[in-house]
Amino acid sequence: MAFLKKFRCIADTIALFFITFFLCYVSSHLRLPLVLSMFWIVNAVVAGIFVRYPSTHRPINYLACALAMFLNDYLFSGWLSSVILINLANIIFIAVVALGLRSLWRSHTDQLTPKQVLILFPVCLTASLLAGIWGGIVSAGGGSLTDNLLNIALWVSEQFSTGLMILPLILSFKRSQKFIWQRTSVLAVLSVPILFLGAALISGPGSIAFPLPVLIWCALVLPVFVSALVTFLVGILEIMMVYENLIGEHLVDSPPEIMTLVSIRLGVAAMVLTPFMVSVTIDAVKTLNRRLEIRANTDFLTQLLSRAGLFEKLGEIPLSAGQTVGLILFDIDYFKAINDNFGHQAGDSVLSELGYILRRDYKEQFYISRFGGEEFALIARDISAEQLYQQAEALRLRVARHDFSLTDRSLSITISLGLEVGSANNNEEWTQLITRLVSKADSRLYLSKAEGRNLTTPNWSEGSPAFSDRTPT
């Protein structure tokens, strides 16, 4: 096991080296077309990997990423003397983001929370300021104070805008539940280019916020990752449109106008975080609702359906007139004596283990519920009385032969069962049908108790002694 863990660590380091080298190569060549020169994607991707996969956040991997950056600059840029100082700015950004967010993720499967999104903004801003100040100073090559400040501003805005657009993608990747496209989802996505057209027509600095309503709409109806992807593409296109004077109406040749571009970059970065927060919040609310629904409809101790959960589950299934439904109603014999002699913890242990047996062996054939106390109900559709009796007897013998584990001993228990098979009447609902079946099965359960327990009383024996195989247990 230790060898496998060490091998995985080495594989992670090698993978990060090649990922960093590839992204540096891509980012370097993005700088050739001036319109794409504003995006340096390496830092945000590597920082996102460190945060999302905590096991990769190790000093050796920082060294691997730094070597990949140095090698890329040496091979393709011809830099040598300044390569270490300049790339140290990239390492600063990665380290600040990874250290600032590392306590928020214990595993890559953890769900994003609104708190994490709120912290993302100041952490990314701090990382951008520190990396930008260092990078701007060491890459300025002298010059006036104004030139140095402009260089720092460009570094900071580039790191901040790219970080806030890419990190949500890394952190939300594969976190979304299975998603089915609906009309509102398609309309939301199709509305994005329309809003871009409106932004281009309106022009002016305020036009960068024009797509925000449709991005929030996407956040409401799309999974977190899909919404983050749409927002990422919108952010990139807006910055490119600003650069090409399609929106914003400015020139980038003079220092004042460069600061306008920096300001728009920062504004776009802050704007794209809004739909991400909405999307994560909606996802958290949906998850909470699912958990509350499961808790309301599931018995905590046995992990079976509660009585209310059983009716809720059956209510989702169409019930047609004449459909045959079978019910097994049973309870544990002398369960009160188990609690009195061994304590309530022993009784809970028996119920929990019995719930496990029912879930494992009978979930495919029945809807299973802890009906109350030590009483359980199993419901099957389209089953004959003979088949129901065979299943009930198999269950009785299965329980009687099982040794239930307590803290310091094992315990054998038996169950008594009452059966009923009936057909749904016209316009009858599940609640009415089950109530009718339970009434009959409960009387037969009482008959099983009266006849000595550990018995099954089927529905074809009205008033007769209970049937049982009486197999030795």
Side-chain angles (χ1 to χ4, degrees):
M1 186 66 69
F3 171 77
L4 291 177
K5 184 177 181 180
K6 185 176 181 180
F7 177 79
R8 181 176 179 181
C9 291
I10 295 174
D12 288 343
T13 301
I14 294 174
L16 279 166
F17 175 86
F18 283 105
I19 289 173
T20 305
F21 184 85
F22 173 75
L23 292 177
C24 283
Y25 177 81
V26 171
S27 297
S28 298
H29 285 73
L30 284 179
R31 295 185 179 280
L32 298 180
L34 293 180
V35 71
L36 296 177
S37 65
M38 296 171 287
F39 304 107
W40 181 258
I41 62 178
V42 185
N43 300 349
V45 172
V46 174
I49 292 174
F50 284 167
V51 174
R52 178 75 184 275
Y53 302 93
S55 62
T56 65
H57 188 218
R58 296 179 291 118
I60 187 65
N61 290 337
Y62 279 100
L63 179 60
C65 294
L67 289 174
M69 294 175 185
F70 301 158
L71 182 61
N72 173 79
D73 283 340
Y74 176 73
L75 292 177
F76 300 106
S77 302
W79 296 348
L80 184 59
S81 58
S82 60
V83 66
I84 295 178
L85 292 176
I86 290 177
N87 280 294
L88 186 57
N90 299 328
I91 301 300
I92 290 173
F93 180 91
I94 294 170
V96 173
V97 171
L99 293 172
L101 301 178
R102 66 176 179 174
S103 62
L104 300 180
W105 275 273
R106 296 181 301 274
S107 168
H108 70 277
T109 58
D110 289 349
Q111 184 180 23
L112 281 166
T113 65
K115 177 183 176 182
Q116 291 166 332
V117 179
L118 284 174
I119 295 177
L120 183 62
F121 184 92
V123 168
C124 197
L125 180 59
T126 302
S128 302
L129 287 171
L130 294 176
I133 291 172
W134 177 267
I137 292 174
V138 300
S139 64
S144 65
L145 177 62
T146 300
D147 291 338
N148 288 337
L149 290 176
L150 287 175
N151 199 35
I152 291 173
L154 287 171
W155 269 78
V156 172
S157 64
E158 177 186 65
Q159 295 290 315
F160 186 62
S161 60
T162 307
L164 280 187
M165 287 189 290
I166 289 181
L167 281 170
L169 284 175
I170 305 296
L171 301 179
S172 63
F173 182 63
K174 289 188 177 179
R175 293 181 184 270
S176 303
Q177 301 290 329
K178 184 178 179 181
F179 178 70
I180 299 175
W181 286 87
Q182 298 178 346
R183 181 180 298 178
T184 54
S185 308
V186 175
L187 288 176
V189 175
L190 293 179
S191 299
V192 173
I194 298 176
L195 268 293
F196 265 116
L197 179 61
L201 293 175
I202 293 174
S203 192
S207 59
I208 65 168
F210 205 67
L212 185 58
V214 77
L215 291 180
I216 294 178
W217 184 14
C218 290
L220 293 173
V221 298
L222 297 175
V224 178
F225 175 74
V226 180
S227 174
L229 179 60
V230 172
T231 305
F232 167 74
L233 295 174
V234 167
I236 287 179
L237 289 174
E238 280 210 323
I239 293 176
M240 292 172 63
M241 291 173 72
V242 168
Y243 189 90
E244 293 294 333
N245 290 314
L246 296 177
I247 58 176
E249 293 183 354
H250 72 281
L251 298 174
V252 296
D253 296 330
S254 59
E257 297 303 333
I258 290 177
M259 290 306 300
T260 301
L261 178 60
V262 169
S263 175
I264 291 176
R265 269 187 189 172
L266 297 175
V268 169
M271 182 191 72
V272 299
L273 200 61
T274 302
F276 185 54
M277 169 62 83
V278 172
S279 184
V280 170
T281 302
I282 293 297
D283 190 56
V285 170
K286 289 179 179 177
T287 300
L288 177 61
N289 288 338
R290 285 194 297 268
R291 290 175 179 172
L292 291 175
E293 183 179 353
I294 292 173
R295 181 174 295 182
N297 293 332
T298 303
D299 175 63
F300 174 77
L301 189 60
T302 63
Q303 297 302 301
L304 299 172
L305 292 170
S306 63
R307 183 192 290 241
L310 176 65
F311 287 116
E312 181 79 19
K313 188 73 174 179
L314 292 173
E316 300 172 357
I317 305 168
L319 179 64
S320 56
Q323 183 176 8
T324 302
V325 177
L327 168 67
I328 299 175
L329 192 68
F330 77 87
D331 71 6
I332 301 172
D333 296 329
Y334 303 109
F335 185 73
K336 184 177 184 300
I338 296 175
N339 284 330
D340 292 342
N341 295 330
F342 304 106
H344 287 277
Q345 185 174 359
D348 289 347
S349 178
V350 169
L351 290 172
S352 178
E353 196 165 348
L354 179 58
Y356 172 75
I357 293 172
L358 293 171
R359 294 196 317 272
R360 183 188 64 188
D361 298 340
Y362 295 93
K363 193 173 182 180
E364 297 298 324
Q365 304 101 318
F366 295 93
Y367 298 97
I368 311 170
S369 166
R370 183 184 178 190
F371 221 54
E374 71 274 19
E375 191 173 58
F376 296 80
L378 289 81
I379 295 173
R381 297 185 296 161
D382 303 321
I383 190 170
S384 67
E386 292 79 7
Q387 291 171 330
L388 188 68
Y389 178 73
Q390 291 171 2
Q391 293 275 19
E393 275 294 279
L395 171 60
R396 182 183 67 81
L397 296 174
R398 171 76 178 81
V399 173
R401 291 168 178 165
H402 182 78
D403 289 329
F404 288 79
S405 301
L406 304 183
T407 304
D408 56 351
R409 61 172 59 87
S410 61
L411 181 68
S412 296
I413 67 171
T414 60
I415 59 176
S416 298
L417 307 91
L419 314 183
E420 174 61 4
V421 176
S423 299
N425 299 325
N426 289 327
N427 300 321
E428 190 173 33
E429 296 181 354
W430 276 107
T431 303
Q432 299 167 312
L433 174 60
I434 298 303
T435 301
R436 178 160 56 87
L437 297 180
V438 166
S439 178
K440 294 288 185 68
D442 191 53
S443 64
R444 298 191 179 103
L445 171 58
Y446 179 80
L447 182 58
S448 294
K449 295 281 190 182
E451 291 294 327
R453 293 179 170 81
N454 190 24
L455 300 173
T456 300
T457 301
N459 64 308
W460 63 71
S461 56
E462 290 286 350
S464 65
F467 290 113
S468 173
D469 282 341
R470 291 284 185 192
T471 305
T473 59

